[in-house]
Each structure stands twice: as structure tokens, then as C-alpha cells.
Amino acid sequence: MSEIQVIDNFLSEEHFEGLQVIFGSHIPWTYSVVLEDDHLICDQKYNYQYVHGVYTKQEPVSPYFDKIIPLLTKLDARALVRCKVNSICREEEIVVHGFHTDMQYPEEHSTGLDGMKTAILYLNTNNGFTCFEDGTKVESVANRCVIFPAHYKHSGTTCTDVHRRVALNLVYL
């Protein structure tokens, strides 16, 4: 899985600071499961997160969509498929949720996505991480971006050292 890129200080300080609006108390969050049961490897009681949708079904769904434009530019994204912010609450121990892809498609087509990628931009530093089936582990560091082919299975985790783990997740071409 050599196609996994990890880039620190991905956005300029100014653009990254613009994304910090997501930590405001006025942001609407939706309670959601992290994974469907067939991908879940942790106890069901840990299968929750809060999500703020940014872009879905070919349209912006957040008043803060403009805050991700510098990220899309830096990624050289030609088409945005989906963008959301995940907020996963602190637990007493690190919990790995389960390996999955961010878009659902038949397994026989999973390698023919011709350029579709997933990018995760960590919005805060914590001891959570993203891991991949091959054992690669990317720690959650503020303004670190991990970019990989959309068909790579990965898993997020909880954290234990801060109130919540927050990451912006995009699927794009």
C-alpha cells in the first residue's frame, strides 16, 4: 500500500484556522453509527459518532462549505463526491471500529475507480489514529492529511487524551 501519502502542515495556517469554526457550539451535528454491523470489529456500544455534513448528493449541505475550498484546491480535486466532518467522543481506551471503504461499491469493481481518492484531514491532535489493513498507522495530528485510493480499507479509532477526535473526510476525483 505504497499509495498512502501522509502530509504534515497540509494547509496554510490561515486556511487551517478557518476550519476551526467546526469546533464552535453553533455547528449542527447529527448522531450516526460509525459502521454497519458487517464491518464492525468493536463492541456495538462504541459504534457512534457525530457527523457534520459538508457536501453530499452533488451539493453543499453546510454553510461552511467555502471553508474547504482551499483544501480542494490543494488536493487538486476535479470533482467532490462527498465531504463530512466526523467527531468521535473520547473513550477510556482506544477502540478500533472496523475496516471499510468510505464509498460502497461492488467488490469486483473496487480497484477500477480510476483516480477516486479518500483524504482525511485531522482537525485536532489526539492519540487516535487511522489504520489500514496492511498495518500502516497514521496518527491524528492537527493539519495532517492522509490521502489514499478510495478502495483501500481503513479504520478510524477513538481517542483517550482529549474530549473528541475530529477529522474532515473527503472522497474525490
Side-chain angles (χ1 to χ4, degrees):
M1 289 204 184
S2 61
E3 294 182 73
I4 299 170
Q5 296 178 286
V6 178
I7 306 165
D8 287 331
N9 301 309
F10 190 72
L11 293 176
S12 69
E13 189 174 320
E14 174 187 357
H15 290 137
F16 186 73
E17 285 301 316
L19 290 171
Q20 298 305 299
V21 67
I22 207 69
F23 290 97
S25 60
H26 59 285
I27 298 294
W29 294 95
T30 302
Y31 180 86
S32 173
V33 297
V34 176
L35 292 173
E36 298 302 322
D37 289 342
D38 56 336
H39 294 291
L40 199 64
I41 60 173
C42 66
D43 190 302
Q44 185 66 37
K45 70 182 177 183
Y46 300 114
N47 189 26
Y48 73 97
Q49 65 183 345
Y50 294 91
V51 174
H52 176 74
V54 179
Y55 185 91
T56 189
K57 297 181 182 173
Q58 300 180 339
E59 66 181 351
V61 293
S62 170
Y64 306 104
F65 175 78
D66 63 313
K67 301 291 185 187
I68 70 160
I69 300 298
L71 177 59
L72 297 174
T73 301
K74 181 91 182 240
L75 290 167
D76 194 26
R78 303 292 185 215
L80 183 58
V81 177
R82 191 199 65 205
C83 178
K84 64 179 184 155
V85 181
N86 296 329
S87 177
I88 299 178
C89 296
R90 182 186 76 80
E91 295 292 346
E92 291 302 312
E93 60 186 46
I94 297 286
V95 176
V96 177
H97 291 110
F99 292 100
H100 65 283
T101 58
D102 290 332
M103 300 299 296
Q104 302 303 316
Y105 30 76
E107 198 67 35
E108 64 271 15
H109 299 295
S110 67
T111 58
L113 295 172
D114 294 334
M116 189 175 293
K117 295 187 177 211
T118 297
I120 301 170
L121 180 69
Y122 303 106
L123 298 180
N124 67 336
T125 298
N126 57 76
N127 65 354
F129 54 89
T130 301
C131 54
F132 294 85
E133 284 187 311
D134 71 347
T136 300
K137 179 177 167 182
V138 180
E139 296 176 351
S140 297
V141 175
N143 203 11
R144 172 177 284 170
C145 189
V146 58
I147 304 164
F148 52 94
H151 67 273
Y152 280 16
K153 290 187 178 181
H154 61 283
S155 179
T157 68
T158 60
C159 66
T160 64
D161 61 337
V162 298
H163 180 66
R164 59 186 174 153
R165 179 175 183 255
V166 184
L168 196 147
N169 177 289
L170 302 99
V171 178
Y172 69 99
L173 291 168

